[in-house]
Amino acid sequence: MTELYPIEELLVHWVYRVQTEGVALLTKRFRSAGHTTTPEQFGVLARLRGEQGLNQTELGKRMLKDRHNMTRILNLLEKQGHIERRLDSSDRRIFRIFLTESGKKAHEELTPIVRTHLDELLDGLAGRDQETICRSLKHIVSNIQNCGSQSG
């Protein structure tokens, strides 16, 4: 059994650190470039760039965000003029979400920053090593999902 201390020896500690420090650094890079968009908001812009017209529930599932967080993110993006909500033509209770020209422009300006950021984070890791890490993390996610389905 793996000891829980020192915590610096645990994989989950390093996964958490990569996430939190990576997001903080990307936020700083966005600010330095004059953007108020957050990495979380950029993720929504990027998802919508590839899948225009998703409804909030579909978008939340793809972004792994609950309804409350998705609403908060979308409200901020709408306030910035980056997205617009349009009533669904077949179900008037549903709003479809689309990028505006401003949202497309923000995505276009931020994408090179994100690419450079990712390149720097992964510097020194061979493609094969990246694939192994990715495969291992997917396996852990699968284990988590299996545990969740067994306990529910």
Side-chain angles (χ1 to χ4, degrees):
M1 177 178 215
T2 304
E3 291 294 323
L4 295 180
Y5 296 97
I7 198 162
E8 292 80 12
E9 300 299 320
L10 296 175
L11 173 65
V12 294
H13 168 77
W14 292 105
V15 169
Y16 176 76
R17 249 186 98 183
V18 165
Q19 170 65 17
T20 56
E21 291 185 28
V23 167
L25 179 57
L26 186 56
T27 300
K28 184 178 177 181
R29 288 174 167 171
F30 283 176
R31 296 292 175 272
S32 293
H35 285 273
T36 59
T37 304
T38 65
E40 188 175 46
Q41 292 167 351
F42 175 80
V44 172
L45 296 178
R47 176 65 68 175
L48 288 172
R49 189 72 178 138
E51 297 182 84
Q52 288 272 22
L54 293 172
N55 68 43
Q56 182 172 326
T57 301
E58 295 166 335
L59 185 57
K61 285 179 184 175
R62 285 174 174 76
M63 299 299 302
L64 305 175
K65 301 289 181 197
D66 64 29
R67 183 180 189 92
H68 172 75
N69 282 325
M70 199 72 252
T71 298
R72 178 184 52 78
I73 294 165
L74 293 176
N75 286 345
L76 289 168
L77 287 172
E78 190 172 42
K79 188 176 179 180
Q80 294 169 353
H82 293 333
I83 64 157
E84 65 182 6
R85 294 172 166 122
R86 300 181 199 158
L87 279 174
D88 184 280
S89 58
S90 61
D91 187 342
R92 308 285 291 169
R93 297 169 296 171
I94 296 173
F95 283 92
R96 300 272 170 200
I97 303 160
F98 295 85
L99 286 180
T100 61
E101 288 306 313
S102 170
K104 291 174 186 174
K105 182 178 181 213
H107 177 265
E108 186 177 306
E109 290 174 1
L110 293 169
T111 295
I113 297 169
V114 172
R115 283 197 176 113
T116 299
H117 175 74
L118 293 174
D119 287 345
E120 289 177 359
L121 293 185
L122 300 172
D123 186 44
L125 280 176
R128 183 170 42 247
D129 293 335
Q130 291 178 39
E131 290 168 11
T132 299
I133 293 168
C134 199
R135 189 171 45 255
S136 297
L137 292 173
K138 286 178 184 178
H139 183 87
I140 294 169
V141 168
S142 178
N143 288 346
I144 292 168
Q145 291 170 339
N146 288 337
C147 289
S149 66
Q150 293 170 3
S151 66

